[in-house]
Amino acid sequence: MKIFLDSAELEHIERAKEYGILDGVTTNPSLIKKAVLKQQEQGQAVDMKDYLRRVLQAAGEAPVSLEVIGTNRNEMEKEGMFLYAQFNPIAENVFVKIPINPVLEPDAESHYEGVETIKALADRGIPVNCTLIFTPEQALLAAKAGAAMVSPFAGRLDDYLREENGLAFDKKDYFPSYGLEKNGEPLEDKGLVSGIDLVGQCVDILGRFGFACEVLAASIRNPRQVREAALVGAHIATLPFDVISELLIHPKTMEGMQGFTRDIVPEYAQLFRTS
Ligand code: E4P
């Protein structure tokens, strides 16, 4: 499974690249806002074109998803073409992120504008990461329209299941892939019992019909979700920097290191001094 960094912060991207663990980067308007605020707090004004140029160069050959902000086909298609024309030449690594359905209110005339935009961009050879996927059916339609990646939002589906059922939780709380029960009844949304269940069903369906579309497990909040995303066959998981760091930590690893360090005899240590 490829590991993407879910962050627009230059420092995170540079560090992940340096550690040799960066397969790609995902951004969204909220992550861009966080990065901009951080720069401003440090007294630095942000020139967005220049900032994104540095992000793309820092990622190198790793793909970077940049999201449109429009809420209809015309806007999104124009913005997608702009993002690709403006930024892809820098490092040849831009994916354009398009929401599966950009409407803000339920009574919108059409719910197809995301799908139409994916097709229009894919026909021009622009790679699309289709975002805000909450059902395998949305993933199927995105893949059919030509998306190169689909992003099921695992953590936010878990949030939804808990919110709808009045359960208190913190953002990073583990939600088991096999689901939770309330009053003896399983929590579910349209037959999905967890965010990881959503990821797994997307993988199964797209794989079964041979779509050339990768499933990117998004909205991942803790290490166990990373493991579970891998176990259900996600091609990619995109992780906040702190979750990547948490993957490395175990008290027994630390305890083992303390023991090994205590046990170093001078004869063995000498070996390294002369090397
Ligand atoms: C990335 O592609 C998504 O936009 C991101 O993972 C959403 O994560 P969140 O639900 O923690 O905001």
Side-chain angles (χ1 to χ4, degrees):
M1 182 173 75
K2 286 178 268 190
I3 300 279
F4 282 17
L5 177 68
D6 202 18
S7 171
E9 290 178 41
L10 202 49
E11 186 215 336
H12 289 165
I13 298 166
E14 286 168 348
R15 281 173 62 191
K17 182 81 183 164
E18 202 177 296
Y19 299 150
I21 53 166
L22 187 74
D23 293 316
V25 177
T26 49
T27 69
N28 62 34
S30 309
L31 292 170
I32 297 274
K33 177 181 175 187
K34 211 168 157 189
V36 166
L37 291 177
K38 198 165 171 188
Q39 294 279 302
Q40 288 168 346
E41 273 161 24
Q42 292 165 356
Q44 292 163 21
V46 178
D47 170 337
M48 192 43 73
K49 279 189 186 169
D50 184 57
Y51 187 82
L52 289 180
R53 179 186 55 73
R54 290 163 66 202
V55 161
L56 296 167
Q57 283 171 339
E61 66 288 352
V64 179
S65 293
L66 301 176
E67 188 157 341
V68 297
I69 56 173
T71 54
N72 62 51
R73 184 217 159 137
N74 283 345
E75 289 168 354
M76 294 194 298
E77 189 179 339
K78 229 191 293 168
E79 291 166 4
M81 284 166 56
F82 162 77
L83 285 173
Y84 199 70
Q86 177 82 31
F87 295 108
N88 193 55
I90 295 168
E92 303 282 337
N93 56 355
V94 170
F95 274 59
V96 174
K97 219 170 165 190
I98 302 290
I100 183 62
N101 183 346
V103 308
L104 302 177
E105 304 296 338
D107 58 357
E109 267 176 37
S110 166
H111 291 270
Y112 282 95
E113 306 209 15
V115 174
E116 288 177 304
T117 310
I118 294 168
K119 171 151 176 45
L121 296 178
D123 283 351
R124 289 190 176 87
I126 298 177
V128 173
N129 171 359
C130 179
T131 189
L132 286 170
I133 295 284
F134 285 92
T135 67
E137 302 82 72
Q138 289 178 325
L140 180 62
L141 292 180
K144 246 180 213 299
M149 288 174 194
V150 286
S151 293
F153 274 38
R156 289 196 198 186
L157 184 65
D158 295 340
D159 295 347
Y160 184 64
L161 289 167
R162 287 178 287 211
E163 283 157 5
E164 291 293 293
N165 290 281
L167 300 181
F169 63 96
D170 285 328
K171 189 172 178 186
K172 293 184 68 135
D173 284 351
Y174 172 63
F175 188 107
S177 56
Y178 51 82
L180 287 177
E181 287 187 352
K182 190 184 173 192
N183 304 328
E185 291 296 318
L187 309 190
E188 57 104 17
D189 177 51
K190 300 181 180 69
L192 299 165
V193 300
S194 69
I196 292 295
D197 186 25
L198 164 66
V199 173
Q201 291 196 28
C202 291
V203 170
D204 284 353
I205 292 173
L206 299 192
R208 185 171 303 200
F209 298 105
F211 285 101
C213 176
E214 292 189 298
V215 176
L216 181 157
S219 186
I220 297 287
R221 276 81 179 277
N222 56 62
R224 283 183 74 180
Q225 262 185 329
V226 179
R227 181 196 312 164
E228 290 174 347
L231 285 170
V232 297
H235 304 96
I236 306 162
T238 189
L239 316 179
F241 194 78
D242 60 332
V243 175
I244 299 184
S245 305
E246 284 169 47
L247 299 179
L248 293 167
I249 300 166
H250 194 280
K252 290 299 278 185
T253 304
M254 229 177 285
E255 185 190 290
M257 273 311 294
Q258 288 161 1
F260 294 154
T261 306
R262 257 195 322 269
D263 290 343
I264 299 168
V265 291
E267 294 80 353
Y268 192 54
Q270 184 59 30
L271 192 68
F272 298 98
R273 287 196 203 104
T274 52
S275 67

